[in-house]
Amino acid sequence: MGKYHGKATTVLRPRTTKEVSDIVKWCAKRRIGIVPQGGNTGLVGGSVSLDKEVVLNLGAMSNVRSFDPVSGILVADAGCILESLGDYIAPHNYIMPLDLGAKGSCQIGGNIATNAGGLRLLRYGSLHGSVLGLEVVLPDGTILDQLSTLRKDNTATHNVMLALPRFDNILPLFQAVKRDLGEILSAFEYIDRTAYDTAVAHGHARVFTDEEMQGAQCFVLIETSGGNNDHDEQKITELLESLLTADKPLVLTGVLSQSPAQFASLWALREGLPEALQKEGKPYKYDISIPIADFERVVDSCRDQLKSRGLYGDHAVSKVVGWGHIGDGNLHINVIAKQGYTPEIEQALEPFIYEVVSSLKGSISAEHGIGSMKPHALHYSKSSASIEWMKKLKETFDPLNIMNPGKVLP
Ligand code: AKG
């Protein structure tokens, strides 16, 4: 994003837990701040040194320690890349219970540290629910070994992309899909029209013909992951048929992937949204949770807010787009500043967006975390009592405040 600029002069890349512990002990003794860093794919400046702290990069710790194909328990170093872990267990018919666009670079330690949400939260729940144990180096250098073990899953995946004539159809559609697919539904992703058009403009394969696109206001990408391929395929095919032949159809049209390549291509469009938008300018990113029914209205209100300040147009903000995970009420808003970040645009957006979120009793950080971007705004979605207890917890583990100072807490 080019938005956060680290000030570290030193990056350390330990290869073992013992080396991490030695580094932390050494820093604790001298009260040197440490910024733990995984794949550096975060969007809120959480893994960037704000004031010359040492960066402790886990990339050189990338061994799988063990995998038990019967229980499905995987024990891996913090620096293992999410996608590599997926590749490692795939021959045993397993998948990781987490998927996100950054999977080719992000690391499992960072995923767990931030409790990353991603595309399959709907099916597998919060990542922390899949973590059986951790080996942790505490801020005084002590190694806390709490590794233990997990469960089994074999999956068959399919996906379908649907074009909708209006946003208001999303909620009844989500209800119908949940009813018809039940437990095999693993993702239900929303993409607004501008986001879809941007992805196609930057090279993603178009899913619908020009004719089908007429009147399409938004899109939904649905994925199933069940245990029986024939059964799952039948269910998703029947779902599509019933949606297309309904008396009052909720969708204009839909495309069911017919091959692994097409399955991947539908996901590539969805996962490629951040990169496509980045090609158009500097993105202001808001990762919020609000009631699903308000997704479109909130994106529109951001655009109106910029227009009211004369900041909408090629001279300032060229696009305001929304997409997200319907199942979790998680909306990603990207505001594209064509000529770069400016204080005027930031002041128009903040605290405006945080106030809107607060009025809807939502969260200012659905899955990206607080990092260094949002500590000042934490009070919009956490009570002062919660913040006080968060501070007490932090003090308990890290009394010297050397672990990632300046992040999360105001
Ligand atoms: C997603 O696409 O699901 C993300 O978490 C990225 C959101 C963004 O780039 O604003």
Side-chain angles (χ1 to χ4, degrees):
M1 290 159 73
K3 194 171 176 194
Y4 304 100
H5 302 281
K7 297 205 178 108
T9 56
T10 307
V11 178
L12 299 172
R13 287 171 57 86
R15 279 158 306 186
T16 61
T17 309
K18 168 82 172 52
E19 284 183 8
V20 176
S21 162
D22 288 346
I23 291 169
V24 175
K25 278 185 191 150
W26 196 89
C27 289
K29 217 168 166 185
R30 293 161 181 80
R31 303 205 170 200
I32 295 171
I34 302 171
V35 178
Q37 190 178 78
N40 213 6
T41 59
L43 297 170
V44 292
S47 58
V48 176
S49 67
L50 299 177
D51 189 22
K52 293 198 179 155
E53 300 88 2
V54 163
V55 168
L56 198 157
N57 182 291
L58 279 306
M61 286 182 69
S62 56
N63 290 322
V64 170
R65 297 199 195 168
S66 65
F67 177 63
D68 176 354
V70 178
S71 64
I73 297 159
L74 173 72
V75 183
D77 281 348
C80 288
I81 290 178
L82 178 61
E83 192 166 48
S84 311
L85 290 177
D87 293 344
Y88 188 92
I89 58 178
H92 303 281
N93 283 330
Y94 283 92
I95 60 165
M96 296 296 286
L98 166 76
D99 191 12
L100 54 157
K103 57 177 159 281
S105 320
C106 65
Q107 297 171 7
I108 195 69
N111 296 149
I112 293 171
T114 58
N115 199 18
L119 308 163
R120 289 188 185 141
L121 195 126
L122 183 60
R123 172 70 197 271
Y124 299 103
S126 158
L127 179 61
H128 282 177
S130 297
V131 176
L132 276 193
L134 292 172
E135 180 188 70
V136 177
V137 176
L138 295 174
D140 66 356
T142 310
I143 299 173
L144 187 67
D145 185 352
Q146 296 199 323
L147 280 176
S148 45
T149 29
L150 102 53
R151 53 188 110 94
K152 173 170 165 123
D153 202 352
N154 292 316
T155 47
T157 47
H158 298 272
N159 63 9
V160 60
M161 193 176 285
L162 304 169
L164 281 71
R166 66 189 70 84
F167 174 80
D168 292 346
N169 290 3
I170 293 253
L171 270 180
L173 179 67
F174 185 44
Q175 281 167 327
V177 169
K178 276 209 293 194
R179 189 190 55 224
D180 289 1
L181 295 180
E183 81 294 346
I184 66 169
L185 175 64
S186 52
F188 191 103
E189 296 284 304
Y190 163 69
I191 304 173
D192 77 12
R193 172 77 194 234
T194 319
Y196 175 97
D197 287 342
T198 310
V200 169
H202 291 284
H204 284 281
R206 56 184 79 233
V207 184
F208 303 106
T209 62
D210 287 348
E211 200 181 325
E212 288 171 328
M213 285 297 286
Q214 276 175 28
Q217 205 187 78
C218 60
F219 306 86
V220 161
L221 178 59
I222 295 168
E223 183 195 67
T224 60
S225 308
N228 178 324
N229 190 46
D230 294 343
H231 166 262
D232 296 357
E233 193 167 358
Q234 186 185 347
K235 269 189 140 179
I236 198 166
T237 308
E238 283 173 7
L239 168 75
L240 183 58
E241 274 166 19
S242 79
L243 288 172
L244 295 176
T245 55
D247 288 344
K248 290 187 187 152
L250 295 170
V251 304
L252 292 170
T253 183
V255 168
L256 179 62
S257 61
Q258 302 295 333
S259 64
Q262 198 179 8
F263 175 89
S265 153
L266 295 185
W267 268 121
L269 186 150
R270 159 63 187 88
E271 294 182 346
L273 293 173
E275 208 171 324
L277 284 152
Q278 187 118 357
K279 291 191 176 137
E280 306 225 334
K282 289 289 184 192
Y284 287 90
K285 289 179 179 291
Y286 297 95
D287 158 52
I288 60 178
S289 59
I290 53 170
I292 303 163
D294 293 306
F295 274 27
E296 186 187 48
R297 192 180 62 75
V298 167
V299 174
D300 288 348
S301 72
C302 290
R303 197 179 295 111
D304 291 344
Q305 162 79 353
L306 290 158
K307 282 184 185 162
S308 73
R309 304 252 182 130
L311 292 168
Y312 196 75
D314 276 354
H315 64 290
V317 168
S318 55
K319 271 182 187 169
V320 179
V321 308
W323 73 90
H325 319 292
I326 289 285
D328 330 328
N330 179 183
L331 173 67
H332 296 302
I333 303 178
N334 271 215
V335 174
I336 307 301
K338 190 138 192 194
Q339 314 292 341
Y341 298 120
T342 69
E344 293 75 24
I345 299 174
E346 186 161 332
Q347 279 155 21
L349 293 169
E350 297 175 26
F352 174 78
I353 293 187
Y354 298 138
E355 281 168 0
V356 171
V357 171
S358 179
S359 72
L360 294 168
K361 303 214 177 321
S363 169
I364 58 154
S365 172
E367 62 171 349
H368 293 172
I370 302 293
S372 57
M373 175 184 172
K374 293 179 253 187
H376 69 283
L378 195 59
H379 65 278
Y380 285 104
S381 51
K382 290 262 181 264
S383 66
S384 43
S386 302
I387 295 174
E388 279 318 302
W389 277 102
M390 288 166 74
K391 284 184 175 165
K392 283 183 196 165
L393 268 179
K394 165 85 167 153
E395 272 162 33
T396 304
F397 283 98
D398 183 17
L400 302 177
N401 192 28
I402 58 164
M403 201 52 80
N404 219 352
K407 313 290 164 51
V408 182
L409 290 167

